[in-house]
Amino acid sequence: METGPYYFVKNLPLYELITHEFINTFVKKGSCYALTYNTNIDEDNTVALLPNGKLILSLDKDTYEETGLQGRPSQYSGRKIMKFIVSIDLMDLSFIMDSKKYERISWSLKEKKPLKFDFLLAWHQTGTEESVMMSYFSKYQIQEQQPKVAVSTLRDLQCPVLQSGELRGEAEASCSAPELFDWLGAVFCGVDPNNEPNNFISTYCCPQPSTVVEKAYLCTVTGFIVAEKICILLEQLCHYFDEPKLAPWVTLSVQGFADSPVSWRESEHGFQKGGEHLYTFVIFNNLDYWLQMAVGANDDCPP
């Protein structure tokens, strides 16, 4: 399945994302995504452009004061405020391009405190050639990227027994949703769930009751993948059960970028120890589903 492309742009000035032309070409005519690359949310300046047109800046104290932009202290700063969050609504700006507000923001990012970042960019619009973004940023160092796909077959895999109507599990009949969540993490990390006596790396064992599956299919897609592509993939997984299958369920897990300034919607994201924010769909053969969402300590609860 085609899940790309996305683009990597080196040293892109931030003000390029607030120009009239960029907003009219990409933000207003589809879903545009951008994220600073190789920046650490807890110590660096980071930026994200959301598909709703919100440009989110997570700035250190010095940069924030130098830009003169209006924002708020990061809710994960602690007693000494060292990070600030600025939100710029590009859809709102597009209607007031001649206003003092737009002029102030443009002057701030272009002249007062010019900021440059390496960016990951993606744009989704049905029926439009995706190479438009490649030509638009042709004067910068831009590379087209495709998500990396890794496929493996796991043999004789011990799997938890699930019942779609029993989220909390049932004694000696089915496992709970949290137990499945732990098990999936172990599978993704290549952990042996058998808890062998001579295994000093992990003492994890598969929750009970369980069953041994002769072959399980694991596909990992890594890259800057837009929400619209994930929706298509989820829909295809639902069609997996159009014809009778032996498999009782399939899962789709999505891991967010650990150093993104947002997690769900526009909720601020912090790293703390791991920067986790992820969700998993468990789709059963009767088309019931579970949705599991998880975040680290420096995050609001998912919606």
Side-chain angles (χ1 to χ4, degrees):
M1 176 194 160
E2 289 291 328
T3 52
Y6 61 97
Y7 303 93
F8 173 64
V9 188
K10 287 187 69 69
N11 293 319
L12 180 67
L14 181 56
Y15 73 80
E16 287 281 11
L17 301 186
I18 66 163
T19 63
H20 299 63
E21 189 179 358
F22 179 82
I23 294 173
N24 290 329
T25 303
F26 297 106
V27 178
K28 294 174 106 176
K29 294 183 179 178
S31 298
C32 192
Y33 301 76
L35 181 66
T36 46
Y37 179 74
N38 210 18
T39 52
N40 299 321
I41 187 65
D42 49 355
E43 57 185 13
D44 299 328
N45 297 318
T46 59
V47 177
L49 173 59
L50 311 184
N52 63 1
K54 295 287 182 67
L55 185 65
I56 309 295
L57 285 60
S58 175
L59 305 176
D60 61 47
K61 186 173 183 290
D62 290 343
T63 304
Y64 175 72
E65 290 176 349
E66 288 176 48
T67 62
L69 297 171
Q70 288 185 322
R72 59 172 177 80
S74 165
Q75 63 191 74
Y76 306 118
S77 285
R79 291 183 181 179
K80 189 176 182 181
I81 299 172
M82 298 302 294
K83 292 281 284 188
F84 288 83
I85 307 299
V86 177
S87 178
I88 301 172
D89 189 339
L90 299 185
M91 296 297 281
D92 181 47
L93 277 187
S94 68
F95 293 107
I96 52 171
M97 288 294 192
D98 298 325
S99 69
K100 289 183 178 179
K101 179 180 179 181
Y102 178 79
E103 289 176 1
R104 188 184 75 249
I105 294 172
S106 181
W107 171 76
S108 174
L109 298 179
K110 192 172 183 178
E111 298 179 34
K112 190 169 189 290
K113 183 61 178 177
L115 296 171
K116 290 184 179 182
F117 299 95
D118 294 345
F119 271 102
L120 297 175
L121 291 163
W123 183 53
H124 178 82
Q125 187 191 26
T126 306
T128 303
E129 287 189 22
E130 290 166 320
S131 59
V132 172
M133 186 164 274
M134 191 85 174
S135 57
Y136 182 87
F137 289 112
S138 58
K139 65 180 179 180
Y140 297 102
Q141 287 182 267
I142 182 169
Q143 299 173 352
E144 181 179 303
Q145 305 280 348
Q146 292 288 346
K148 295 178 182 177
V149 180
V151 177
S152 60
T153 301
L154 309 176
R155 299 188 180 276
D156 300 323
L157 180 66
Q158 200 172 1
C159 296
V161 173
L162 305 177
Q163 293 181 0
S164 62
E166 294 291 341
L167 275 166
R168 297 182 180 178
E170 191 175 348
E172 300 182 3
S174 65
C175 297
S176 67
E179 287 174 322
L180 171 71
F181 195 71
D182 285 343
W183 178 83
L184 284 171
V187 172
F188 297 155
C189 293
V191 172
D192 185 353
N194 296 322
N195 192 15
E196 299 287 346
N198 59 348
N199 188 345
F200 299 103
I201 297 175
S202 170
T203 58
Y204 178 79
C205 57
C206 182
Q208 299 298 320
S210 66
T211 182
V212 176
V213 176
E214 182 183 350
K215 287 194 297 184
Y217 186 78
L218 175 64
C219 177
T220 305
V221 185
T222 306
F224 194 50
I225 305 164
V226 301
E228 290 81 2
K229 301 287 187 180
I230 295 170
C231 288
I232 293 172
L233 187 54
L234 180 61
E235 188 177 328
Q236 292 299 317
L237 279 177
C238 291
H239 285 303
Y240 176 75
F241 291 116
D242 284 351
E243 297 179 6
K245 296 289 196 304
L246 290 175
W249 43 266
V250 295
T251 66
L252 172 65
S253 295
V254 181
Q255 305 263 353
F257 282 78
D259 289 293
S260 166
V262 294
S263 53
W264 269 272
R265 294 176 182 166
E266 295 168 42
S267 297
E268 184 184 347
H269 173 63
F271 189 89
Q272 208 204 29
K273 293 183 178 178
E276 304 90 350
H277 56 125
L278 61 144
Y279 61 88
T280 295
F281 279 99
V282 186
I283 305 151
F284 293 89
N285 54 12
N286 63 355
L287 292 188
D288 284 352
Y289 74 91
W290 294 352
L291 172 58
Q292 300 175 309
M293 298 184 282
V295 289
N298 280 9
D299 274 285
D300 289 337
C301 286

